[in-house]
Amino acid sequence: MATAIRRSSLTDQATQALMTYITENGLGDGDPLPGTGELAATFEVSVPVIREAIAGLAAIGVLKRQQGRESVVSTPNASHLSRLLSFRVAHAAVDDESIQQFREVVEVGSARLAAANRDEHALAELDRALQDLRGAEGDEALHVADIAFHAALARASSNDMFSLTLDALQPLLHRLRRRVWSGWVDSGGDLVSIVEAHATILEQVRAGDIEGAGKAMADHLAQARHGLENPPRPAAD
């Protein structure tokens, strides 16, 4: 047992050392690392420890291993964070209310920044996303189009943290949207008002109205909260 703990500690230290090495040497996407033997000598650990550290960094997207070649630096994307968040949520019993609260804070800010930083490309993307939302047929297509609109809004904010976080949360947000939509419909809500809420958000973003965009998003999220707090009726036997 003591040997295993020691080995794990060395691997953790080597992992941190590799990350520091990448940063201090300004390595970016596609840049190769030195060979495992050279790295082992540099950090004064064994080659197996370096290999374990590389495997761990590859698992989270920091490195990319290539058959018969040295590992190269990579930039983690939303899928890596998404897997981590999904696992964390599943094991920490994070409920839909917590995810809704997160949306009410983050997406209002995203809309405000989109109004401040939007450009023609971002507005065109939002226009397309809104049209997809208007033309969505069936619940699943609606949820996909809804997520796409909010993702486009995050990109319009020109803040990568919004895009990365919301992209990573897509599986959880998809789950929330299904529940919210069922509650919304069962309590008398309709699709038209949801689509128009998105149209109002886009209108305020296009106008560069920061306060108006934030309010429009808050109003839309109030619709989501209404659906969340009115759970769907159980199906008849």
Side-chain angles (χ1 to χ4, degrees):
M1 180 65 73
T3 301
I5 292 174
R6 173 67 174 166
R7 187 175 182 82
S8 175
S9 176
L10 280 175
T11 300
D12 289 344
Q13 292 176 52
T15 299
Q16 184 58 55
L18 279 172
M19 294 179 72
T20 301
Y21 178 92
I22 291 167
T23 301
E24 290 183 347
N25 287 276
L27 300 182
D29 272 336
D31 290 335
L33 285 181
T36 53
E38 183 179 341
L39 289 170
T42 299
F43 301 130
E44 299 182 354
V45 295
S46 68
V47 169
V49 168
I50 289 295
R51 286 174 177 162
E52 289 181 13
I54 288 174
L57 290 175
I60 61 174
V62 174
L63 295 177
K64 183 183 297 183
R65 292 188 291 181
Q66 304 177 106
Q67 186 68 31
R69 300 171 61 185
E70 301 302 339
S71 299
V72 299
V73 176
S74 181
T75 301
N77 56 38
S79 67
H80 297 97
L81 182 57
S82 179
R83 288 193 293 269
L84 178 61
L85 286 173
S86 295
F87 185 84
R88 170 66 177 171
V89 167
H91 288 76
V94 176
D95 57 14
D96 287 340
E97 171 61 27
S98 297
I99 300 172
Q100 175 66 22
Q101 289 174 357
F102 176 87
R103 290 191 69 196
E104 289 171 352
V105 173
V106 171
E107 295 212 51
V108 169
S110 177
R112 289 170 58 88
L113 276 180
N117 299 322
R118 83 274 184 239
D119 57 25
E120 290 306 314
H121 174 76
L123 291 173
E125 186 179 13
L126 283 164
D127 276 327
R128 289 192 295 271
L130 181 61
Q131 291 308 310
D132 288 344
L133 188 62
R134 290 189 189 279
E137 296 182 2
D139 291 355
E140 192 62 23
L142 173 64
H143 301 324
V144 170
D146 188 16
I147 288 173
F149 180 92
H150 288 265
L153 192 69
R155 288 189 290 273
S157 75
S158 298
N159 185 317
D160 285 344
M161 287 303 299
F162 284 106
S163 295
L164 177 63
T165 304
L166 291 176
D167 283 350
L169 283 171
Q170 276 195 26
L172 302 176
L173 293 173
H174 199 85
R175 182 191 79 188
L176 176 64
R177 278 174 167 84
R178 287 197 300 267
R179 177 179 169 185
V180 162
W181 176 246
S182 294
W184 174 256
V185 171
D186 280 1
S187 63
D190 58 24
L191 176 59
V192 172
S193 56
I194 295 294
V195 171
E196 290 310 308
H198 286 80
T200 301
I201 293 169
L202 176 52
E203 178 184 333
Q204 298 302 316
V205 168
R206 192 188 307 278
D209 187 337
I210 296 173
E211 296 300 325
K215 182 180 183 304
M217 177 60 77
D219 289 344
H220 167 49
L221 292 175
Q223 294 174 316
R225 174 157 292 285
H226 178 82
L228 181 63
E229 292 177 350
N230 290 274
R233 295 185 294 270
D237 294 335

